[in-house]
Amino acid sequence: MNHLEEKYADEIQAILAKYPEEQKRAAVMPLLYLAQRETGYITRQSMNDIAQILELTPTEVASIVGFYTLYYDQPGGKYRIQVCTDLPCALRGAEEFLEKLCENLGIRVGETTPDGLVTVEKVMCLAGCDKAPLFQVQTGAGLEYHENQTVESALSYIDTLRKRER
Amino acid sequence: MAKLVTLTIDGKQVTVPEGTLVVDAAKRIGIDIPVFCYHPKMEPVGMCRMCLVEIGRPAIDRATGEAVREADGSPRVVFSPKLETACTTPVAEGMVVIGASEKVKEGRKAILEFLLTSHPLDCPICDKGGECPLQNLTMGFGPGQSRFIYDDKIHLAKHVPLGELIFLDRERCIQCARCVRFQEAVVDDPVIGFYQRGRSLEIVTYSEPGFDSIFSGNTTDICPVGALTTADFRFGARPWELNAAASICAQCPVGCNITFNVRREAKAGGRWVIKRVMPRQNEAVNEIWICDKGRFGYHYTESPHRLSQPLVRKHGELTPASWEEALGLVADRFRQAGDGLLTLASGRLSNEDLFNLHQLTTSLGGKSALYTHMAGGDLVSRIGVAPGTNFADMGTGSAILVVASDLHEEAPIWWLRVKQAAERGATLIVLNPRPTRLDKFASHVLRYAYGSEAAAVLAMVNSLSAKRPDLPETVKALGRSPELEAAAKAFAAAENGVILFGSEGTSLATSQALAQACANLLITTNHVGRPNNGLIGVWQRANDQGAWDIGFRPMPDLAQAMRSARALYIVGADPAGDDPTLVETGDFLVVQELFLTDTAKLADVVLPVQAYTEREGSFTSGERRVQRFYPAVPERPGSKADFTIAGQIGALLGLDMEARLASKVFLRLAVSLKEYAGLSYTRLSEVEEQFPIVGRGDLYYGGTTYENTQGLGVQLPPTILLGEPLPLGWLELPQIQMPQDGLLAVPVTRLYDRGQTLLPSELLHPRLPQPYVAINPADGKRYRIPDGATVEIRSQTPISLVTLRRDPLVPEGVLLVPRSMGVPINGPTPVDLRQVERVIA
Amino acid sequence: MSQYILLRHREIPNLGKLEVYRQNDGFQAFYKAVTSMKPEEVIEVVKASGLRGRGGAGFPTGMKWAFVDRHNWPHYVVANADESEPGTFKDREIMENNPFQFLEGVAIAAYAVQANVAYIYLRGEFWQIAHQLDQRIAELYASGLLGDNLFGTDYSLRIYTHLGAGAYICGEETAMLESLEGKLGQPRLRPPFPPSYGLFGKPTVVNNVETLTNVPLIVANGASWYRQYGTEKSPGTKIFCLSGRINRPGNYELPLGTTFRQLIYEHGGGIPEGRQIKAIMPAGASSSLIIATDEALDTPMDYESVPNVGAALGSASLIIIDDTVSIPWLINKTIHFFKHESCGKCTPCREGTYWMMHLTERIAGGAATWEDVELLKDVASQMKGKCLCALGEFSIEAVLSGIERFKGDFEAQVGATQAAAEELPVPAD
Ligand SMILES: Cc1cc2nc3c(=O)[nH]c(=O)nc-3n(C[C@H](O)[C@H](O)[C@H](O)COP(=O)(O)O)c2cc1C
Ligand code: SF4
Ligand code: FES
């Protein structure tokens, strides 16, 4: 029983149950989300643990982490604020929005606030083009959308996060 | 036999089996369709898009199902608007393929230009330069110059070690995935993979140690660019400066065909040196692959510690002497010894060496012995696989039984070929006391207790043929297992049946019994005397089979025989190194060796020999294929070939022996051994066309593996086809002594051991384990000895100190002892364990 | 009668609640299918309805179901909820607000091909939606609408959600299957197609969320009822996603065949601040740019007519471009997207998108010459027809149509460069 199995025994069983016995490998993506829950990124240890659970090599698990953008092999801010600046949103002022937001936070795109609270990133279309500007907030625990945003609304949201963290 | 299909490629008609891919069909008629990601030994993926061609298919009338015809009656061919990938398209009747059109030219040019946008174009400093598919195909089909602005090129790490053996140049990688697919699909070691995606894809490894696969070197042959290179050869030389010498790998009984690339080197004082080992194609033996031990383990032949002149013991000291003096002395003493001469030789030697040694010994009335702990070579001579045997032909309808062998460690390329046969549908039965990497591919996995391997096989025989009431209880017990019965039935039912028996946990005695039991199973199931049927010994040395054929036999009580010998002649073996108590300096000891081994240190005369890379000769593989090796580099001054030394001693004794030419020795051998009758070096060097076509202009296709122009070798007939009787014989099951409360120590073979021929290859040191033994964690608890502790192993004598490993795969009550790692255990032995404080260096 | 087939929640409050959905005949169709129809009969109705795939390709759904190999078992259904095409946000609204109709569609599709397991592959960003769906699926087990021996028959069905993790390519059906199998999301060679070789190598139906959400009402009301909407060849309604420079962006469910003008001006309220419409991208970033002429605006939006104005209907995600938008800037955006999303499996797409990105940046950044524009055109044409999957082929649509149809914009950009170049100080020597 490795670290991950000890911690999430039941959840892992529930995940494995979704896929055919001999197709365990299919569980790698949900297990990676599980592994990312606390740390917000995938540690080398959890890659090994997942490999062991699914009878894969750590390399096979790692390439999944590398291919998909919602998995991280490096720690980031506790909250990843991901602003869509793809074409439809850009046509509705998303780029200015992002620029101003970063200005106010005193960081550049891709950077993390000094207190390690938020990392601001720009991402491709989030399927909310009619409610631009919008961003999603990703933490280890999950993902939520914030639509029809203004720089003000975004900043006050970040404030509430700050308070919550204190 | 698959249905045949006829199609036209660039105007030429070709008929090939249904299912053949267009790209291969073209190759068969000498039409090159350029590829990067496609490799004839792997499933197509159609990634690189280099093989784009125009493909037309006969139009079929929907209503009638008839082929639509033109006015002139010829079938109408409709071409799809898009170019199609020849590597993924199977041939079809009446298909028309065009590779020579402008449209296709443009397509190839386009793909090459794309590839070059991110390629560093550092050919002048690239190891692959001169044998690089990308370079060659760019010459052939590429754009004049790149329209991609050089400054836009991203620059990437150029010396990324994927472990100590293989280096990656990220800039050069063209993401064809050949390496990744080889590791995953061919050798089942998915320890390298892609990271990131799109333009950022890069090859990574997360295994410990990096790129942890014994087949890793092959990826450097099939990589179509200089992205993957071996630590051994990197920046070593430019391919065109190298000479190539055909040879045979001497590391195991598979007999992989290899090529030594050599050149004269200033830093070696103008000497010829080996720069690298490359696979040489032999589709019946190693196809186009070799394992890393074969690729990187040759350095012992170049060791500076090699002996360079004869030594004679004077006043207790080994002191340099002339050949005349040394040989004169040896001849005299041998004459005096007469029938008291005992010659101990190993399968490291070539057929020619062994033949001369045997002739010398017998004509003096002396005895000759084979230094090995495995028996059964005589049975393999009788019922070994018949000419025409090729694992590649085994699939559905064939059964392969692998018993008492960890094939992945003992003979890697056989492991690979057996695995592939199983994947093609062959019934694979794995009979071993502990799990091995072959289990995964087996249709029957059976276990037995160490020591009862013969019983297990006998039980299979018994469950098929007339039951024998007088069989021991062990056999009866095993016979009652329904799994074993099912396996036996499957083996008997198969059209073809092959047994590979190894030396997992066996002693000479148990090995003898095992071989006989295997023979009985083959005979009772009528799997003898035909191609793809028969017995294969997974020997411990490259030419053990040749030694058996020539008449060498292991001795049940070797120590005793050595003690009583009046003259002892040890050639190519180091018994004292394996077990210090074994050799007591008898009356007169001659040692013929590359190095001053522990045995040599005890000798009265030491005779320095040439490495097999410096001379001609032949080996007989476990599949009984006789294969030639050629001189790759000139001999070390002062050394002689083993067969020459034996021949010269013989001459001094007035015997008629050939000392000069290996080819002539071989002719004499061919006269005296009926299964070798008619063979000659000329016969051994015959070749025929093989597929896939490799070498020359075909590097882009099969990789840089060498084309075989110097001999595919000849497979010997089993002697039952030459009048020998079937070796059916009921055997005595050897009683092995079981421990009361201690552990049963058993010897097993590791690919990477600490043997004398491997240690000089420093490159491999990180992969060579320190001396260790392994037990089941449960026993570890029982003895209260933690993983990694130093233990003392007590049997009769001697006592050895090694590191202990806990390994759940080791059965309880067993102590696993890797061979050639300093613990002299040559068969199942009861031992006791004790933790000691001292840590061994 | 109702104007909605898919967005019924807009007129039925709380349709997302199971009891409300059932009060509105929810799961009647599934019940009817399982208890009183042969699988072939279900497929026949869907065939007859003329329903075509809403994921982009517009392939006849009933025909796809009929292709499923009956000699190879088990079968799977995979709902494509990856919705990653820029400008597309319709499946999301369905799953958020009318989830049970979608789930019932999945269930009927599964019954039709006799699959006992169906997966819903959602893009990773739909994390919350996936969790809502999980709860709703749980409700369905609880109320005996999913599970073993449904309605006392021997038919059993389980539905599972599976989250992607940020990869547009996983919307491509074979890449999605690879991803679902726990591998890199890279497309497979086709053929074989999923109905013969799909998930875990088994026959599989992959359908878009919107496609499947049509099914319950088709089975309940019959093919001819469905065919009263839309056109002869493109029957039914379609959700049009309206985004970009438009007054009322959003989803609009309208009969296929509605004209661009009706959608953009009557429903979408026209272009903001009275500006002029310049171009339309009818299928998100993957589509050609249509010049917004009157003729174009009066073209009916259905699978047959849109090609007449040099584009495809695709997923019907209309990105509206007004006269203040520079086309070089626009294609730079789309190329950045495709470069970011190229899976890297095939050479033309991996290298081509990367190369084009360098060129579009230089052009949009005003640092280019006309040769760069020509080169961009060459590179794009060089990719055409050579890619392993449609992503690479899509990536050049906007580029080629843009350069051809809005040459002026590019000349302007390059002109700017020339001008800039002339201002450079002349080296004194
Ligand atoms: C690059 C690419 C992206 C795609 N993305 C999606 C997508 O996000 N959602 C979707 O339903 N279909 C998408 N498709 C289409 C699918 O491959 C497939 O045709 C569709 O899901 C079939 O369902 P349908 O017949 O119901 O339309 C995409 C295709 C390609 C080539
Ligand atoms: S390293 Fe070589 S074989 Fe592997 S992907 Fe790159 S180019 Fe292909
Ligand atoms: S696509 Fe055919 S060789 Fe790569």
Side-chain angles (χ1 to χ4, degrees):
Chain A
M1 264 255 231
N2 60 45
H3 172 74
L4 211 59
E5 279 170 309
E6 278 161 14
K7 190 178 252 114
Y8 298 110
D10 305 353
E11 253 178 292
I12 292 176
Q13 281 322 309
I15 290 171
L16 289 174
K18 287 172 135 189
Y19 310 96
E21 195 62 39
E22 64 288 356
Q23 300 291 350
K24 272 190 186 171
R25 182 187 188 135
V28 67
M29 293 180 78
L31 288 186
L32 282 169
Y33 278 121
L34 198 65
Q36 201 162 254
R37 190 175 289 171
E38 280 137 58
T39 45
Y41 75 106
I42 312 284
T43 62
R44 181 70 190 264
Q45 182 54 47
S46 29
M47 284 186 198
N48 296 346
D49 291 355
I50 292 173
Q52 199 185 35
I53 297 169
L54 302 181
E55 291 160 35
L56 298 172
T57 64
T59 309
E60 287 171 297
V61 177
S63 21
I64 301 298
V65 175
F67 186 88
Y68 297 94
T69 56
L70 291 179
Y71 300 129
Y72 306 89
D73 57 6
Q74 297 298 327
K78 190 159 192 319
Y79 298 83
R80 292 175 182 272
I81 295 194
Q82 301 169 324
V83 182
C84 172
T85 59
D86 214 343
L87 178 61
C89 283
L91 287 167
R92 306 185 72 81
E95 283 170 325
E96 299 71 23
F97 169 81
L98 174 62
E99 195 175 315
K100 292 230 169 49
L101 181 62
C102 288
E103 231 170 69
N104 279 279
L105 293 170
I107 55 172
R108 274 187 259 106
V109 177
E111 291 180 344
T112 306
T113 52
D115 57 1
L117 187 72
V118 296
T119 306
V120 178
E121 298 164 321
K122 65 173 167 184
V123 296
M124 298 301 170
C125 185
L126 293 177
C129 325
D130 54 335
K131 306 189 181 65
L134 79 152
F135 58 81
Q136 68 181 6
V137 180
Q138 190 187 3
T139 66
L143 240 159
E144 64 186 31
Y145 273 46
H146 295 255
E147 305 182 300
N148 297 316
Q149 291 292 303
T150 62
V151 177
E152 294 65 36
S153 62
L155 288 171
S156 67
Y157 166 71
I158 293 172
D159 274 339
T160 57
L161 290 183
R162 272 220 181 72
K163 296 203 182 66
R164 197 190 304 168
E165 289 305 317
R166 286 228 194 76
Chain B
M1 188 56 211
K3 172 162 161 288
L4 294 177
V5 169
T6 302
L7 68 158
T8 315
I9 306 175
D10 287 335
K12 282 200 205 169
Q13 272 216 347
V14 56
T15 303
V16 292
E18 191 176 35
T20 309
L21 298 164
V22 169
V23 63
D24 294 333
K27 196 77 195 160
R28 287 182 188 277
I29 49 171
I31 295 175
D32 290 339
I33 297 176
V35 299
F36 285 117
C37 68
Y38 179 68
H39 188 283
K41 293 279 183 192
M42 296 191 267
E43 288 296 306
V45 283
M47 289 164 64
C48 78
R49 319 304 286 175
M50 187 61 198
C51 65
L52 292 168
V53 289
E54 293 184 67
I55 294 183
R57 297 173 176 79
I60 301 295
D61 184 318
R62 277 244 164 62
T64 65
E66 295 294 311
V68 185
R69 306 211 163 268
E70 302 286 3
D72 64 6
S74 64
R76 171 180 302 152
V77 176
V78 275
F79 282 81
S80 64
K82 280 180 163 193
L83 295 173
E84 297 181 53
T85 47
C87 76
T88 62
T89 312
V91 295
E93 191 59 44
M95 180 183 265
V96 177
V97 177
I98 301 178
S101 68
E102 265 315 302
K103 190 172 174 191
V104 172
K105 258 220 216 73
E106 280 311 305
R108 292 172 182 173
K109 188 153 141 281
I111 299 300
L112 273 163
E113 186 174 25
F114 282 135
L115 286 174
L116 295 174
T117 55
S118 44
H119 194 76
L121 303 170
D122 56 349
C123 310
I125 57 153
C126 180
D127 290 313
K128 204 83 168 193
E131 56 181 17
C132 174
L134 182 59
Q135 199 178 32
N136 302 350
L137 294 179
T138 304
M139 301 297 169
F141 310 97
Q145 90 283 46
S146 169
R147 296 178 290 173
F148 186 83
I149 297 189
Y150 189 80
D151 308 358
D152 289 351
K153 279 191 196 286
I154 32 168
H155 290 285
L156 302 166
K158 293 187 72 66
H159 313 299
V160 185
L162 302 172
E164 344 64 61
L165 298 177
I166 309 295
F167 278 76
L168 167 69
D169 182 317
R170 285 188 51 204
E171 284 185 341
R172 293 179 190 156
C173 175
I174 59 169
Q175 287 85 16
C176 70
R178 272 184 174 187
C179 54
V180 177
R181 282 150 49 215
F182 172 82
Q183 286 301 131
E184 208 234 325
V186 179
V187 298
D188 190 42
D189 270 333
V191 293
I192 57 171
F194 277 124
Y195 205 69
Q196 309 269 1
R197 71 183 181 212
R199 189 58 199 75
S200 315
L201 278 177
E202 62 173 301
I203 303 294
V204 295
T205 179
Y206 278 69
S207 65
E208 309 269 358
F211 204 161
D212 185 16
S213 168
I214 61 170
F215 296 103
S216 66
N218 296 297
T219 59
T220 65
D221 298 332
I222 59 175
C223 176
V225 292
L228 294 178
T229 49
T230 68
D232 208 24
F233 184 63
R234 278 176 96 240
F235 312 130
R238 314 314 313 278
W240 59 83
E241 307 166 343
L242 299 170
N243 290 11
S247 193
I248 302 297
C249 178
Q251 301 280 9
C252 87
V254 174
C256 290
N257 293 206
I258 57 172
T259 295
F260 285 110
N261 276 138
V262 301
R263 78 164 183 186
R264 297 186 72 128
E265 207 148 84
K267 63 175 183 299
R271 263 195 308 108
W272 284 88
V273 294
I274 297 172
K275 297 305 296 181
R276 64 176 181 180
V277 175
M278 298 290 276
R280 186 167 54 108
Q281 182 179 35
N282 190 334
E283 289 299 318
V285 178
N286 54 305
E287 300 179 25
I288 57 173
W289 318 120
I290 55 174
C291 77
D292 288 353
K293 188 181 188 180
R295 189 182 296 261
F296 301 117
Y298 65 90
H299 291 274
Y300 73 94
T301 63
E302 307 206 305
S303 163
H305 304 304
R306 270 180 55 185
L307 296 164
S308 55
Q309 63 194 128
L311 304 171
V312 173
R313 192 170 295 280
K314 296 176 180 153
H315 336 289
E317 287 298 312
L318 279 174
T319 46
S322 72
W323 275 102
E324 293 65 23
E325 181 187 357
L327 291 182
L329 176 59
V330 171
D332 290 343
R333 301 297 303 259
F334 281 8
R335 191 185 291 104
Q336 296 164 19
D339 63 2
L341 168 66
L342 171 62
T343 301
L344 179 65
S346 85
R348 248 171 57 199
L349 304 172
S350 77
N351 289 324
E352 297 70 13
D353 305 327
L354 292 158
F355 180 79
N356 269 4
L357 287 165
H358 195 255
Q359 197 190 355
L360 173 64
T361 312
T362 42
S363 35
L364 285 172
K367 292 192 215 57
S368 54
L370 179 62
Y371 185 63
T372 177
H373 299 101
M374 242 183 113
D378 47 348
L379 297 171
V380 177
S381 305
R382 294 246 206 119
I383 57 165
V385 291
T389 294
N390 184 346
F391 280 113
D393 299 334
M394 301 182 206
T396 314
S398 298
I400 303 174
L401 167 61
V402 177
V403 55
S405 175
D406 182 347
L407 215 46
H408 191 262
E409 296 287 315
E410 292 177 28
I413 292 293
W414 278 345
W415 173 86
L416 174 57
R417 306 195 81 214
V418 167
K419 159 199 182 260
Q420 291 181 325
E423 288 171 332
R424 280 188 301 269
T427 304
L428 174 59
I429 305 164
V430 175
L431 195 49
N432 206 61
R434 76 188 155 102
T436 69
R437 288 199 52 182
L438 208 49
D439 295 1
K440 182 174 168 186
F441 306 94
S443 26
H444 304 265
V445 177
L446 306 166
R447 302 264 175 259
Y448 57 80
Y450 278 98
S452 40
E453 46 282 312
V457 176
L458 263 191
M460 286 177 76
V461 180
N462 203 49
S463 70
L464 293 168
S465 65
K467 308 269 183 288
R468 292 192 6 151
D470 59 325
L471 281 171
E473 187 44 39
T474 38
V475 176
K476 297 216 191 86
L478 283 159
R480 286 183 211 105
S481 131
E483 294 79 10
L484 184 134
E485 184 146 0
K489 289 211 161 56
F491 188 79
E495 185 194 344
N496 300 315
V498 169
I499 298 179
L500 296 106
F501 75 100
S503 53
E504 167 95 9
T506 58
S507 65
L508 193 54
T510 58
S511 172
Q512 180 62 54
L514 171 60
Q516 183 61 61
C518 292
N520 293 353
L521 179 55
L522 285 164
I523 293 166
T524 48
T525 55
N526 186 30
H527 289 313
V528 292
R530 290 180 290 134
N532 302 321
N533 286 272
L535 187 59
I536 295 176
V538 188
W539 306 123
Q540 298 170 330
R541 292 185 185 73
N543 199 35
D544 279 343
Q545 187 58 52
W548 280 89
D549 292 350
I550 288 164
F552 281 83
R553 297 286 181 271
M555 279 195 169
D557 192 352
L558 185 58
Q560 172 51 35
M562 289 198 283
R563 253 180 255 112
S564 51
R566 260 174 277 128
L568 187 51
Y569 185 19
I570 301 182
V571 188
D574 181 19
D578 296 345
D579 181 348
T581 62
L582 208 54
V583 188
E584 289 165 17
T585 35
D587 297 355
F588 184 68
L589 172 61
V590 181
V591 172
Q592 200 164 294
E593 254 301 347
L594 283 167
F595 301 96
L596 192 63
T597 58
D598 293 346
T599 311
K601 289 186 186 123
L602 304 171
D604 300 288
V605 178
V606 179
L607 303 171
V609 300
Q610 296 170 0
Y612 88 112
T613 51
E614 297 163 358
R615 40 159 292 198
E616 283 201 289
S618 67
F619 291 142
T620 302
S621 77
E623 291 175 279
R624 296 183 79 236
R625 181 176 296 270
V626 188
Q627 307 188 104
R628 276 183 78 174
F629 58 83
Y630 297 75
V633 292
E635 82 269 12
R636 281 291 172 90
S639 64
K640 294 176 187 279
D642 288 283
F643 75 87
T644 304
I645 299 170
Q648 291 181 343
I649 296 170
L652 291 170
L653 293 169
L655 302 170
D656 163 34
M657 290 176 63
E658 171 59 40
R660 247 176 61 261
L661 291 176
S663 54
K664 290 210 177 143
V665 180
F666 188 78
L667 285 176
R668 292 180 176 225
L669 178 158
V671 173
S672 70
L673 299 178
K674 59 170 168 309
E675 65 267 44
Y676 288 72
L679 295 189
S680 66
Y681 274 13
T682 331
R683 269 286 276 116
L684 298 184
S685 47
E686 283 168 9
V687 291
E688 61 199 36
E689 163 107 309
Q690 305 188 79
F691 199 83
I693 297 161
V694 300
R696 285 164 301 176
D698 306 300
L699 297 177
Y700 73 90
Y701 184 67
T704 46
T705 188
Y706 270 75
E707 179 185 6
N708 196 323
T709 57
Q710 285 171 286
L712 297 171
V714 174
Q715 204 161 26
L716 298 171
T719 55
I720 54 162
L721 296 183
L722 305 174
E724 296 282 330
L726 280 173
L728 187 63
W730 293 111
L731 53 136
E732 280 314 309
L733 285 176
Q735 289 310 316
I736 64 161
Q737 185 191 356
M738 282 297 174
Q740 288 74 2
D741 65 340
L743 295 159
L744 184 70
V746 295
V748 299
T749 301
R750 287 283 317 256
L751 182 67
Y752 293 137
D753 57 21
R754 304 191 70 80
Q756 186 197 76
T757 51
L758 205 51
L759 277 175
S761 297
E762 277 161 22
L763 190 63
L764 288 172
H765 281 189
R767 311 250 158 170
L768 306 185
Q770 287 306 315
Y772 78 95
V773 294
I775 56 171
N776 186 285
D779 291 324
K781 284 206 189 65
R782 192 153 63 85
Y783 279 82
R784 293 205 193 66
I785 304 179
D787 190 77
T790 301
V791 292
E792 181 184 87
I793 302 170
R794 292 254 195 75
S795 53
Q796 309 88 337
T797 46
I799 290 172
S800 13
L801 296 168
V802 283
T803 309
L804 182 95
R805 285 192 198 167
R806 289 184 172 191
D807 176 353
L809 297 187
V810 178
E812 285 190 40
V814 167
L815 180 74
L816 217 63
V817 181
R819 293 189 169 94
S820 302
M821 288 215 212
V823 185
I825 294 286
N826 299 321
T829 320
V831 295
D832 227 320
L833 263 195
R834 194 165 68 77
Q835 181 171 6
V836 292
E837 278 329 304
R838 185 166 136 272
V839 273
I840 39 171
Chain C
M1 59 156 284
S2 160
Q3 82 179 90
Y4 292 119
I5 294 176
L6 305 160
L7 305 180
R8 286 160 66 220
H9 56 277
R10 290 191 177 184
E11 53 188 12
I12 308 171
N14 300 319
L15 191 60
K17 288 201 164 63
L18 183 53
E19 67 272 24
V20 178
Y21 181 66
R22 295 189 77 171
Q23 283 151 20
N24 291 269
D25 305 334
F27 282 92
Q28 287 306 318
F30 183 48
Y31 179 84
K32 173 176 157 197
V34 175
T35 53
S36 65
M37 293 173 80
K38 292 206 199 64
E40 302 71 34
E41 292 170 341
V42 178
I43 296 178
E44 271 321 305
V45 181
V46 175
K47 260 193 189 161
S49 75
L51 173 64
R52 297 173 62 168
R54 306 299 196 221
F59 190 86
T61 304
M63 202 187 295
K64 183 185 285 189
W65 295 4
F67 284 153
V68 170
D69 180 353
R70 292 272 184 284
H71 307 293
N72 185 358
W73 298 86
H75 297 167
Y76 292 101
V77 165
V78 179
N80 189 339
D82 194 61
E83 190 155 68
S84 304
E85 183 65 47
T88 314
F89 40 84
K90 59 192 179 68
D91 300 341
R92 202 186 136 193
E93 179 172 354
I94 293 173
M95 290 186 289
E96 282 172 338
N97 302 297
N98 191 7
F100 288 110
Q101 186 174 331
F102 160 57
L103 290 170
E104 184 176 5
V106 175
I108 295 172
Y111 174 76
V113 299
Q114 289 296 290
N116 301 109
V117 174
Y119 292 96
I120 303 170
Y121 186 103
L122 302 100
R123 61 180 298 175
E125 292 80 357
F126 287 175
W127 189 87
Q128 284 170 305
I129 301 178
H131 284 260
Q132 291 160 12
L133 283 178
D134 285 341
Q135 289 155 15
R136 285 161 168 154
I137 291 168
E139 292 176 49
L140 294 181
Y141 286 119
S143 25
L145 296 167
L146 281 181
D148 294 336
N149 303 91
L150 290 167
F151 319 120
T153 70
D154 57 7
Y155 180 68
S156 309
L157 175 62
R158 283 180 165 43
I159 301 181
Y160 302 112
T161 59
H162 183 99
L163 271 179
Y168 165 68
I169 186 59
C170 290
E172 194 282 334
E173 57 187 14
T174 60
M176 161 175 306
L177 297 174
E178 287 284 296
S179 176
L180 189 42
E181 291 180 7
K183 307 184 184 136
L184 300 189
Q186 294 185 321
R188 296 174 183 171
L189 294 162
R190 304 186 312 170
F193 292 89
S196 45
Y197 186 94
L199 183 63
F200 307 129
K202 295 301 176 185
T204 300
V205 161
V206 179
N207 274 127
N208 165 260
V209 170
E210 181 185 356
T211 312
L212 292 165
T213 309
N214 278 287
V215 171
L217 275 69
I218 292 174
V219 172
N221 308 329
S224 47
W225 165 83
Y226 188 72
R227 281 186 167 281
Q228 72 189 308
Y229 306 96
T231 70
E232 170 59 27
K233 288 206 165 110
S234 305
T237 61
K238 175 88 188 75
I239 302 179
F240 296 92
C241 309
L242 201 51
S243 70
R245 296 291 167 85
I246 184 84
N247 274 323
R248 291 198 296 273
N251 287 321
Y252 295 89
E253 178 180 353
L254 301 167
L256 282 155
T258 310
T259 67
F260 285 102
R261 193 186 298 279
Q262 289 166 316
L263 173 65
I264 294 167
Y265 290 95
E266 288 166 31
H267 301 279
I271 314 301
E273 296 149 29
R275 287 195 299 264
Q276 272 306 312
I277 182 167
K278 177 176 181 175
I280 305 167
M281 300 181 83
S286 295
S287 63
S288 297
L289 289 151
I290 301 175
I291 310 174
T293 58
D294 284 338
E295 183 225 351
L297 287 168
D298 291 320
T299 305
M301 296 183 288
D302 58 50
Y303 296 100
E304 291 67 42
S305 316
V306 179
N308 301 335
V309 286
L313 181 60
S315 53
S317 354
L318 288 81
I319 305 175
I320 307 302
I321 316 298
D322 71 21
D323 54 6
T324 63
V325 177
S326 136
I327 301 303
W329 171 86
L330 179 144
I331 64 168
N332 187 32
K333 289 300 280 188
T334 62
I335 290 304
H336 266 268
F337 173 79
F338 288 109
K339 143 84 176 50
H340 184 264
E341 299 301 336
S342 171
C343 79
K345 186 170 183 176
C346 78
T347 308
C349 174
R350 180 182 70 240
E351 306 294 336
T353 52
Y354 174 74
W355 192 354
M356 288 197 292
M357 183 191 71
H358 281 287
L359 293 163
T360 56
E361 275 198 334
R362 198 172 295 121
I363 296 168
T369 66
W370 187 251
E371 284 66 47
D372 295 310
V373 180
E374 288 293 335
L375 179 54
L376 174 60
K377 210 164 119 192
D378 283 3
V379 175
S381 325
Q382 219 161 277
M383 291 172 64
K384 201 173 178 55
K386 300 194 183 62
C387 300
L388 181 80
C389 85
L391 185 149
E393 306 287 342
F394 288 164
S395 71
I396 61 177
E397 294 287 343
V399 174
L400 291 176
S401 60
I403 297 176
E404 177 193 329
R405 297 171 193 174
F406 298 90
K407 201 153 180 254
D409 286 33
F410 288 86
E411 286 164 343
Q413 278 290 341
V414 177
T417 339
Q418 246 75 18
E422 273 138 34
E423 282 159 29
L424 287 172
V426 192
D429 63 68

